[in-house]
Every structure is written in structure tokens, then in C-alpha cells.
């Protein structure tokens, strides 16, 4: 079956540092890949997506590239802000639009 | 534009009491609908999904049930809550063609005491 593995947190960074969150997946076929962000007490918001190999999703300074050869979709941001503190989930789409999520990575950015 | 509403935001219920959480979607037709649960400090688990009125698929055996009485309404229920039902419940929708992103409601924090 499908699965998503992402690095465990928490990841603690200083403001303006570079952020990378690793995500790898196993799946049959060619799923779409997503990064979602969850702020405390809230639902999930779509951060970015990629629907085919070599696609790069980007939003709010975050980027991730769909790498079929390494089955990866790592999230990066060049300069984080305190407001980026949240939990980040990597996910892939399965049949009927069902999403398979990773366990989530908490990111804490300090001033 | 599409919106998703989920209520209530928080709920404290005694063990053995019934549960009804409601979710509605506006601005789209025939969406796929989903209920996820997020246990404290853990990832999201898909509980139910629906591709049409009256069509419910359960992903995990449990004490909960779901119904879809109207195209854009999705209800999560229980006849008797257990302590282990505590968690953060999220409703979501996606376009019917699949392979696309899902859009989430704000969630319901359920505490069973």
C-alpha cells in the first residue's frame, strides 16, 4: 500500500535560517504529492502541490520538487520567519482522492 | 469560491453519550468527502470517505459511523462514546475526479471524559 515517511521533529531554527523537511513515499502508480501546514488549533491548509515527476510546487517562499527517481518530495525554505512555526505534513493522493499523510514535522522558529 | 464548514469547534462529552459532528461544503457539486482523526501528537488517520449521497466507505473498524444525507453534507456519529474517541476530527472535500488536493475544515476538538 501507499505510505509516506517524513523526518521527525521538532525542528528548531533561528529566524532567517534555511529549512528542509525530508519526505519520501512509496506508492503504486504516479500519485500527486502535497505539503500541508497546520497552525495550532486549526485545520490543515494546502501549502503546495506537484502532480507529476519533476514538477516543482511553490508557495510563500516554500518549494518542493517531485523526484520520481528517489521517491521524494522534500520541503525547503530559504529564510524562515517566526510565523512559519507550525506542523508540516507531507501527503500523497490515492484512489478516490484519499490522502495518505506522513506523521507530521513540528517546526519551531525562534527570534 | 468553495468553503467548508465544520462544527462545533470544541466538544466535551461524557463516556457513553452520543456524538454528532456536522460538515457542509458550499460552492461545489458532487464532492468527495472525508472524515479524518488526528490523535494528540500524531498524524492523520482517514476514518470515512464518501463519493456520493448515501455512499460511505469505512477505512478502519471503530465505534464511529458516518452518513451523507445530502450532496454536500457529511455527518460523523457515535451511539456511545469511548475515552479512546477523543481527538481532533477534520472534515475535508476534494473534487470528484480524484488525484487532486483536499480542502479541510477547521476541525472539532473532542474530549471524552
Amino acid at each position: 500500500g501507499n505510505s509516506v515517511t517524513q523526518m521527525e521533529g521538532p525542528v528548531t531554527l533561528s529566524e532567517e535560517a534555511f529549512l528542509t523537511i525530508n519526505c519520501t513515499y512509496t506508492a503504486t502508480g504516479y500519485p500527486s504529492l502535497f505539503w500541508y501546514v497546520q497552525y495550532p488549533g486549526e485545520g490543515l491548509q494546502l501549502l503546495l502541490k506537484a502532480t507529476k515527476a519533476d514538477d516543482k510546487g511553490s508557495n510563500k517562499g516554500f518549494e518542493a520538487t517531485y523526484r520520481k527517481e528517489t521517491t521524494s518530495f522534500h520541503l525547503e525554505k530559504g529564510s524562515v520567519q517566526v510565523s512559519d512555526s507550525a506542523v508540516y505534513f507531507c501527503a500523497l493522493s490515492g484512489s478516490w482522492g484519499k490522502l495518505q499523510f506522513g506523521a507530521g514535522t513540528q517546526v519551531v522558529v525562534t527570534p | 469560491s468553495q468553503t467548508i464548514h465544520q462544527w462545533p469547534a470544541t466538544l466535551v462529552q461524557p463516556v457513553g453519550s452520543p456524538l454528532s459532528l456536522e460538515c457542509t461544503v458550499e460552492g461545489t457539486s458532487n464532492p468527495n468527502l472525508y472524515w479524518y482523526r488526528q490523535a494528540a501528537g500524531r498524524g492523520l488517520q482517514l476514518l470515512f470517505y464518501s463519493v456520493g449521497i448515501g455512499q460511505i466507505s469505512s477505512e478502519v473498524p471503530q465505534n464511529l459511523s458516518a452518513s451523507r444525507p445530502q450532496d454536500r453534507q457529511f455527518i460523523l456519529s457515535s451511539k456511545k462514546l469511548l475515552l479512546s474517541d477523543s481527538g481532533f476530527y477534520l472534515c475535508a472535500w476534494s473534487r470528484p475526479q480524484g488525484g487532486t488536493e483536499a480542502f479541510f475544515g477547521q476541525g472539532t476538538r473532542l474530549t471524552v471524559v
Side-chain angles (χ1 to χ4, degrees):
Chain A
N2 296 342
S3 68
V4 177
T5 302
Q6 62 181 104
M7 61 189 289
E8 292 187 18
V11 174
T12 302
L13 303 163
S14 298
E15 206 164 23
E16 299 184 0
F18 185 87
L19 170 68
T20 299
I21 304 176
N22 291 338
C23 171
T24 57
Y25 68 91
T26 58
T28 53
Y30 304 101
S32 295
L33 300 174
F34 310 93
W35 277 100
Y36 283 84
V37 59
Q38 184 179 34
Y39 299 101
E42 298 186 6
L44 274 69
Q45 300 175 26
L46 178 67
L47 183 58
L48 52 83
K49 66 178 181 180
T51 58
K52 61 183 186 299
D54 300 325
D55 266 3
K56 178 187 281 187
S58 61
N59 185 28
K60 299 180 181 179
F62 290 89
E63 294 184 341
T65 301
Y66 191 149
R67 300 285 187 200
K68 181 169 154 246
E69 63 279 8
T70 54
T71 60
S72 64
F73 193 54
H74 305 323
L75 182 69
E76 296 180 337
K77 186 174 185 181
S79 177
V80 294
Q81 305 301 312
V82 172
S83 57
D84 293 324
S85 298
V87 180
Y88 293 81
F89 291 93
C90 184
L92 63 80
S93 64
S95 58
W96 303 111
K98 296 180 288 182
L99 293 176
Q100 181 70 47
F101 285 92
T105 301
Q106 183 178 10
V107 173
V108 178
V109 181
T110 58
Chain B
S1 65
Q2 303 88 5
T3 57
I4 179 168
H5 303 281
Q6 185 181 344
W7 68 94
T10 60
L11 192 58
V12 180
Q13 292 283 98
V15 169
S17 64
L19 173 72
S20 180
L21 303 182
E22 190 160 343
C23 172
T24 59
V25 180
E26 297 177 358
T28 188
S29 296
N30 196 31
N32 292 341
L33 296 172
Y34 312 89
W35 280 110
Y36 289 86
R37 177 168 59 199
Q38 184 177 26
R42 300 173 70 175
L44 286 89
Q45 179 183 40
L46 178 63
L47 302 177
F48 300 95
Y49 71 96
S50 171
V51 299
I53 296 174
Q55 301 179 60
I56 308 295
S57 296
S58 173
E59 289 292 292
V60 292
Q62 58 199 311
N63 182 43
L64 302 167
S65 62
S67 61
R68 184 171 177 172
Q70 300 179 43
D71 182 45
R72 289 168 290 178
Q73 184 185 25
F74 205 26
I75 298 170
L76 183 69
S77 304
S78 174
K79 292 182 180 178
K80 289 185 178 181
L81 284 168
L82 306 172
L83 286 174
S84 57
D85 292 323
S86 294
F88 192 51
Y89 289 84
L90 290 156
C91 181
W93 74 273
S94 70
R95 295 181 182 86
Q97 62 264 37
T100 66
E101 64 269 35
F103 301 93
F104 285 80
Q106 288 297 296
T108 296
R109 173 74 59 191
L110 172 65
T111 304
V112 182
V113 296

